[in-house]
Coordinates of all heavy atoms in Angstrom, one line a residue:
V228 N 3.2 8.9 2.8 CA 3.7 10.0 2.0 C 2.8 11.2 2.0 O 3.3 12.3 1.7 CB 4.1 9.5 0.6 CG1 5.1 8.5 0.6 CG2 2.8 9.1 -0.1
L240 N -1.1 1.3 2.6 CA -1.1 0.6 1.3 C 0.2 0.9 0.7 O 0.6 2.1 0.6 CB -2.2 1.2 0.4 CG -2.2 0.7 -1.0 CD1 -2.5 -0.7 -1.1 CD2 -3.3 1.5 -1.8
R241 N 0.9 -0.1 0.2 CA 2.2 0.1 -0.5 C 1.9 0.4 -1.9 O 1.0 -0.3 -2.5 CB 3.1 -1.2 -0.4 CG 4.4 -1.0 -1.1 CD 5.3 -2.2 -0.8 NE 6.6 -2.1 -1.4 CZ 7.0 -2.6 -2.5 NH1 6.2 -3.3 -3.3 NH2 8.2 -2.3 -2.9
V242 N 2.5 1.3 -2.5 CA 2.4 1.6 -4.0 C 3.8 1.6 -4.6 O 4.8 1.9 -3.9 CB 1.7 3.0 -4.2 CG1 0.3 3.0 -3.7 CG2 2.5 4.1 -3.6
V243 N 3.8 1.2 -5.9 CA 5.1 1.1 -6.6 C 4.9 1.7 -8.0 O 3.7 1.7 -8.5 CB 5.6 -0.3 -6.7 CG1 6.0 -0.9 -5.3 CG2 4.7 -1.2 -7.4
E244 N 6.0 2.0 -8.7 CA 5.9 2.5 -10.0 C 5.8 1.2 -10.9 O 6.5 0.2 -10.7 CB 7.1 3.3 -10.4 CG 7.1 3.8 -11.8 CD 8.3 4.6 -12.2 OE1 9.4 4.4 -11.6 OE2 8.2 5.4 -13.1
H245 N 5.0 1.3 -12.0 CA 4.8 0.2 -12.9 C 6.2 -0.1 -13.5 O 6.9 0.8 -14.0 CB 3.8 0.5 -14.0 CG 3.3 -0.6 -14.8 ND1 4.2 -1.3 -15.7 CD2 2.2 -1.3 -14.8 CE1 3.5 -2.2 -16.3 NE2 2.3 -2.3 -15.7
P246 N 6.6 -1.4 -13.6 CA 7.9 -1.7 -14.1 C 8.1 -1.4 -15.6 O 9.2 -1.2 -16.0 CB 8.1 -3.2 -13.8 CG 6.7 -3.7 -13.5 CD 5.9 -2.6 -13.1
V251 N 3.5 5.5 -14.0 CA 2.2 4.9 -13.7 C 2.4 4.2 -12.3 O 3.3 3.3 -12.1 CB 1.8 3.8 -14.7 CG1 0.5 3.1 -14.3 CG2 1.6 4.5 -16.1
I252 N 1.6 4.6 -11.3 CA 1.7 4.1 -10.0 C 0.7 3.0 -9.8 O -0.5 3.1 -10.1 CB 1.5 5.2 -8.9 CG1 2.4 6.4 -9.2 CG2 1.7 4.7 -7.5 CD1 3.9 6.0 -9.2
L253 N 1.1 1.8 -9.2 CA 0.2 0.7 -9.0 C 0.1 0.4 -7.5 O 1.0 0.6 -6.7 CB 0.8 -0.6 -9.6 CG 1.0 -0.6 -11.1 CD1 1.8 -1.8 -11.5 CD2 -0.3 -0.4 -11.8
P254 N -1.1 0.0 -7.0 CA -1.3 -0.4 -5.7 C -0.6 -1.8 -5.5 O -0.6 -2.6 -6.4 CB -2.8 -0.5 -5.5 CG -3.3 -0.7 -6.8 CD -2.4 0.0 -7.8
D255 N 0.0 -2.0 -4.3 CA 0.6 -3.3 -4.1 C 0.1 -3.8 -2.7 O 0.9 -3.8 -1.7 CB 2.1 -3.2 -4.1 CG 2.9 -4.5 -3.9 OD1 2.2 -5.5 -4.1 OD2 4.1 -4.4 -3.6
R259 N 4.3 -7.5 -2.9 CA 5.1 -8.4 -3.6 C 5.7 -7.8 -4.9 O 6.6 -8.4 -5.4 CB 4.3 -9.6 -4.0 CG 3.6 -10.4 -2.9 CD 4.6 -11.3 -2.2 NE 4.0 -12.2 -1.3 CZ 3.9 -12.0 0.0 NH1 4.3 -10.9 0.5 NH2 3.4 -12.9 0.8
L260 N 5.3 -6.7 -5.3 CA 5.8 -6.1 -6.6 C 7.2 -5.6 -6.4 O 7.5 -5.1 -5.3 CB 4.9 -5.0 -7.1 CG 3.5 -5.4 -7.5 CD1 2.6 -4.2 -7.9 CD2 3.5 -6.4 -8.7
P261 N 8.0 -5.7 -7.4 CA 9.4 -5.3 -7.3 C 9.5 -3.8 -7.4 O 8.6 -3.1 -7.9 CB 10.1 -5.9 -8.5 CG 9.0 -6.0 -9.5 CD 7.7 -6.4 -8.7
G262 N 10.6 -3.3 -6.9 CA 10.8 -1.8 -7.0 C 10.7 -1.1 -5.7 O 10.3 -1.6 -4.7
R263 N 11.0 0.2 -5.8 CA 10.9 1.0 -4.6 C 9.5 1.3 -4.3 O 8.7 1.6 -5.1 CB 11.7 2.3 -4.9 CG 11.7 3.3 -3.8 CD 12.5 4.5 -4.1 NE 12.7 5.4 -3.0 CZ 13.6 5.2 -2.1 NH1 14.5 4.3 -2.2 NH2 13.6 6.1 -1.0
G264 N 9.1 1.2 -3.0 CA 7.7 1.4 -2.6 C 7.5 2.6 -1.8 O 8.5 3.2 -1.2
A265 N 6.3 3.1 -1.8 CA 5.9 4.2 -1.0 C 4.7 3.8 -0.2 O 3.9 2.9 -0.7 CB 5.6 5.5 -1.8
W266 N 4.4 4.4 0.9 CA 3.3 4.0 1.8 C 2.3 5.1 1.9 O 2.6 6.2 2.0 CB 3.9 3.6 3.2 CG 4.8 2.5 3.1 CD1 6.2 2.6 2.9 CD2 4.5 1.1 3.2 NE1 6.7 1.3 2.8 CE2 5.7 0.4 3.0 CE3 3.4 0.4 3.4 CZ2 5.8 -1.0 3.0 CZ3 3.4 -1.0 3.4 CH2 4.6 -1.7 3.2
A282 N 3.9 14.0 -3.7 CA 4.7 13.1 -2.8 C 5.1 11.8 -3.5 O 6.2 11.3 -3.2 CB 3.9 12.8 -1.6
F283 N 4.4 11.3 -4.5 CA 4.7 10.0 -5.1 C 6.0 10.2 -5.9 O 6.9 9.3 -5.9 CB 3.6 9.5 -6.0 CG 2.4 9.1 -5.3 CD1 1.2 9.6 -5.6 CD2 2.5 8.1 -4.3 CE1 0.0 9.1 -4.9 CE2 1.4 7.6 -3.6 CZ 0.1 8.2 -3.9
G284 N 6.2 11.3 -6.6 CA 7.4 11.5 -7.4 C 8.6 11.5 -6.6 O 9.6 10.9 -6.9
R285 N 8.5 12.2 -5.4 CA 9.7 12.3 -4.5 C 9.9 10.9 -3.8 O 11.1 10.5 -3.8 CB 9.5 13.3 -3.4 CG 9.7 14.7 -3.9 CD 9.8 15.7 -2.8 NE 8.6 15.7 -1.9 CZ 7.5 16.3 -2.1 NH1 7.4 17.1 -3.2 NH2 6.5 16.3 -1.3
A286 N 8.9 10.3 -3.3 CA 9.1 9.0 -2.6 C 9.6 7.9 -3.5 O 10.4 7.1 -3.1 CB 7.8 8.6 -1.9
L287 N 9.1 7.8 -4.7 CA 9.4 6.8 -5.6 C 10.6 7.1 -6.5 O 11.0 6.3 -7.4 CB 8.2 6.3 -6.5 CG 7.0 5.8 -5.7 CD1 5.8 5.6 -6.6 CD2 7.4 4.5 -4.9
R288 N 11.1 8.4 -6.4 CA 12.2 8.9 -7.2 C 11.8 8.8 -8.7 O 12.6 8.3 -9.5 CB 13.5 8.2 -6.9 CG 13.9 8.4 -5.5 CD 15.2 7.7 -5.1 NE 15.5 7.9 -3.7 CZ 16.4 7.2 -3.1 NH1 17.1 6.3 -3.7 NH2 16.6 7.5 -1.8
V289 N 10.6 9.3 -9.1 CA 10.2 9.3 -10.4 C 10.3 10.7 -11.0 O 9.9 11.7 -10.3 CB 8.7 8.9 -10.5 CG1 8.1 9.0 -11.9 CG2 8.5 7.5 -9.9

Side-chain angles (χ1 to χ4, degrees):
V228 296
L240 174 65
R241 181 176 187 260
V242 297
V243 296
E244 182 181 23
H245 194 289
V251 176
I252 307 300
L253 300 174
D255 185 17
R259 301 279 190 267
L260 294 176
R263 182 176 185 85
W266 298 88
F283 291 125
R285 282 193 304 276
L287 298 173
R288 298 181 182 167
V289 176

